Amino acid sequence: MSELLKSDALVLDSIRWKDSSKIITLFSREYGIIKVIARGVFRNKSAFAGKLESLNRVEIVINSRSSRSLQILTEADVIDSYNAIRPDMQRLPYALAILELVRQTIRESHSDTIFYDFIIVLLDAMKTSQTPAIMFIYFLLKLVSFLGFRPNIDECQVCDKKPSSDIAYFSLEKGTLFCEECAEGATMLRKIKSDDLDLLRKLQNFPHRKIAEFEVNDLPAQYFIDLLIDYLNFHTETNITLKSLSMLI
Amino acid sequence: MQLLGIDALDRLIDELSRLPGIGRKTAQRLAIFVLKSESQYAENLAEAIYNLKKETQLCDKCFNIAEGSLCSICLDTHRDPSKICVVEDIVDIFAIEASNEYKGLYHVLGGVISPLAGVMAENLHLNELIDRVKNENIAEVLMALNPSTEGEATMIYISKLLSGLNLKVTRIASGVPIGSHLEYVDTVTIGRAISSRREL
């Protein structure tokens, strides 16, 4: 018995299947990560032509049957193709990195409408953002929280006080902060300047619907991206390296 | 997989069915055709396949198929050596050549940057392209990659690498196919066609 399922979805990636079809990996709002087959997509007159590119936000209809592991895509309509992001090499690598992380950290068929909506808001904000790297750090902070590893960057783990000196330490292992006095003996520490820490705190608690308005001074973006990816890798026991970011020139 | 019990025939069917677009039934039909043909035809076919692998290689310069160190296009003195058309795969050269509109040289990248599939710039023939542009007095690099997310990203990436080298970097247009009806064309393609409209 087959049923028709409808959902909003982001196209993550695709592989060619046989001569004219594609197997598409989608991050859908209702059904999480799913793989579907789009038949005849390479034919000139295919109704899917141009719609199933990575990063496209589409409304899909799937013919689903429980006996099949791969469902059949029957309709797709583009909601947003993020044309403001695509030609911009300061934005596109970060947008693709978001897709890369979704692909690597979210389990198949695990749906979360709130997280999906969050990503859509973030991608929309990225269209006009002057600081896409900061947006990406914001995404990483929210992703690790979503996965259950929200870092504590408020007080020192030992003395429960806000670090008062210019430097504090973040423990990748404990996911928490150590002030300079209490850091001795702690392992896997990364140094953070107090100014940067204030900014990270503000970012962590900033409402995502207003993220486009977030104003930032100089934050060593790559340092914090590396820190958060290492933190993510340690706690999820993965070995994620973000290939998309190597496109940044 | 159903075997016919005739080793030589089964083996040919197996090998043919590995070809793209050839299912087992078609492979069986082709094998039977070869079986019923004259011996000379089978020998010619086998020799042609064998020679294809033995006598061809990738062009040292552009990575097209060549019979020697350089391909027929790179050796052709009638072509415009100041233009390079960058394509993803060798089959794209065949498509462009069939149009008879382009008379410059080519450069086959061997793929496009696709972080999600693990293909990065260092996996492509990008450094060779930059070397050619620097050493061959190139005036124009025409990007003819597929208009997918990965293709677009690769075109932008290459154009950034080439910026400052005092040459024209262009890309093929994308839009409504000849003979089609606007009513049936998808919105993304129409949008692209309108944004890249040109004056008459």
Side-chain angles (χ1 to χ4, degrees):
Chain A
M1 180 84 178
S2 65
E3 57 178 333
L4 291 177
L5 307 175
K6 197 173 176 182
S7 182
D8 196 304
L10 275 170
V11 180
L12 297 182
D13 61 30
S14 61
I15 52 166
R16 196 167 184 150
W17 188 70
K18 292 196 173 172
D19 272 358
S20 61
S21 304
K22 262 182 177 180
I23 294 173
I24 318 274
T25 308
L26 299 159
F27 179 44
S28 66
R29 188 176 189 275
E30 317 292 336
Y31 312 103
I33 290 186
I34 42 170
K35 284 186 178 171
V36 296
I37 181 157
R39 287 185 174 147
V41 71
F42 286 109
R43 292 197 189 111
N44 275 350
K45 291 182 179 174
S46 168
F48 296 130
K51 295 177 180 173
L52 299 172
E53 293 303 322
S54 300
L55 194 66
N56 274 5
R57 182 183 169 199
V58 285
E59 186 175 69
I60 51 161
V61 179
I62 302 165
N63 183 318
S64 173
R65 192 175 286 178
S66 56
S67 57
R68 275 195 307 245
S69 58
L70 200 60
Q71 308 305 336
I72 296 167
L73 187 70
T74 55
E75 278 180 49
D77 283 310
V78 176
I79 299 172
D80 197 341
S81 51
Y82 297 102
N83 284 333
I85 294 178
R86 282 173 196 277
D88 188 335
M89 277 317 233
Q90 294 308 311
R91 293 191 174 101
L92 181 67
Y94 290 109
L96 291 180
I98 290 176
L99 301 190
E100 218 181 316
L101 278 168
V102 168
R103 184 85 173 85
Q104 295 188 59
T105 56
I106 311 288
R107 280 183 292 120
E108 281 195 23
S109 305
H110 176 88
S111 70
D112 190 305
T113 53
I114 295 172
F115 189 63
Y116 181 86
D117 292 342
F118 161 71
I119 290 177
I120 296 299
V121 168
L122 200 63
L123 287 174
D124 283 341
M126 211 175 255
K127 289 176 189 172
T128 51
S129 170
Q130 297 304 309
T131 52
I134 303 302
M135 294 275 204
F136 185 63
I137 293 173
Y138 182 67
F139 169 75
L140 283 170
L141 284 168
K142 294 294 177 188
L143 176 70
V144 291
S145 302
F146 172 73
L147 294 172
F149 308 106
R150 188 180 198 270
N152 167 28
I153 49 175
D154 295 322
E155 313 90 18
C156 168
Q157 153 101 354
V158 181
C159 64
D160 278 344
K161 289 178 191 161
K162 253 189 176 180
S164 53
S165 58
D166 286 347
I167 297 289
Y169 294 89
F170 178 74
S171 162
L172 295 181
E173 186 186 7
K174 308 266 184 206
T176 188
L177 214 59
F178 287 90
C179 64
E180 215 163 8
E181 295 78 36
C182 304
E184 205 179 313
T187 55
M188 299 180 75
L189 296 180
R190 295 285 170 88
K191 206 184 265 188
I192 306 183
K193 286 182 191 164
S194 63
D195 290 350
D196 295 341
L197 196 56
D198 288 341
L199 211 60
L200 273 187
R201 282 192 197 112
K202 200 175 156 194
L203 195 58
Q204 191 179 40
N205 297 312
F206 207 80
H208 71 271
R209 295 209 175 270
K210 291 185 178 175
I211 189 63
E213 297 164 20
F214 187 82
E215 285 181 9
V216 67
N217 299 320
D218 286 340
L219 185 73
Q222 194 56 50
Y223 180 78
F224 285 107
I225 290 171
D226 291 343
L227 184 153
L228 287 164
I229 292 293
D230 288 346
Y231 176 63
L232 185 67
N233 278 333
F234 180 81
H235 288 279
T236 56
E237 295 181 345
T238 49
N239 188 22
I240 295 167
T241 47
L242 290 174
K243 295 192 163 125
S244 306
L245 297 188
S246 65
M247 286 197 292
L248 287 165
I249 300 178
Chain B
M1 195 183 300
Q2 197 186 348
L3 298 176
L4 300 173
I6 306 161
D7 286 349
L9 189 60
D10 285 335
R11 190 178 160 207
L12 181 60
I13 293 171
D14 269 352
E15 295 299 334
L16 288 172
S17 61
R18 288 172 60 188
L19 294 170
I22 306 283
R24 190 151 182 88
K25 190 80 187 165
T26 310
Q28 194 174 309
R29 202 174 295 138
L30 294 172
I32 296 292
F33 174 82
V34 174
L35 182 67
K36 286 180 177 174
S37 310
E38 290 177 13
S39 302
Q40 189 60 46
Y41 174 73
E43 279 170 26
N44 289 347
L45 179 65
E47 193 187 349
I49 293 171
Y50 180 69
N51 285 346
L52 178 70
K53 288 300 283 182
K54 194 180 161 197
E55 292 175 8
T56 59
Q57 61 180 78
L58 291 184
C59 173
D60 288 348
K61 210 167 165 185
C62 73
F63 302 98
N64 184 15
I65 302 168
E67 286 182 301
S69 59
L70 292 179
C71 70
S72 57
I73 294 175
C74 287
L75 288 171
D76 188 347
T77 52
H78 295 103
R79 301 189 78 104
D80 182 351
S82 69
K83 291 190 176 80
I84 291 183
C85 176
V86 180
V87 293
E88 182 179 335
D89 196 14
I90 291 161
V91 292
D92 300 326
I93 294 183
F94 300 157
I96 295 171
E97 284 297 291
S99 74
N100 220 15
E101 284 286 334
Y102 177 73
K103 294 292 171 203
L105 304 178
Y106 289 92
H107 189 87
V108 182
L109 283 182
V112 284
I113 298 170
S114 176
L116 295 163
V119 182
M120 298 315 300
E122 57 269 24
N123 306 122
L124 307 175
H125 297 133
L126 264 178
N127 289 336
E128 292 88 343
L129 174 66
I130 306 295
D131 287 345
R132 284 184 73 185
V133 169
K134 284 179 179 167
N135 301 324
E136 290 182 24
N137 202 19
I138 301 297
E140 181 179 353
V141 172
L142 162 62
M143 242 88 74
L145 302 180
N146 294 319
S148 60
T149 303
E150 293 82 4
E152 300 272 341
T154 308
M155 285 193 266
I156 298 164
Y157 185 83
I158 295 173
S159 68
K160 295 265 181 196
L161 289 181
L162 297 176
S163 64
L165 286 180
N166 193 28
L167 73 153
K168 194 158 92 173
V169 181
T170 55
R171 56 169 293 173
I172 52 167
S174 56
V176 184
I178 302 290
S180 64
H181 289 260
L182 285 178
E183 182 187 355
Y184 297 110
V185 177
D186 66 282
T187 51
V188 178
T189 305
I190 290 186
R192 181 67 66 83
I194 289 173
S195 66
S196 54
R197 67 190 181 278
R198 65 179 184 186
E199 210 170 321
L200 290 172

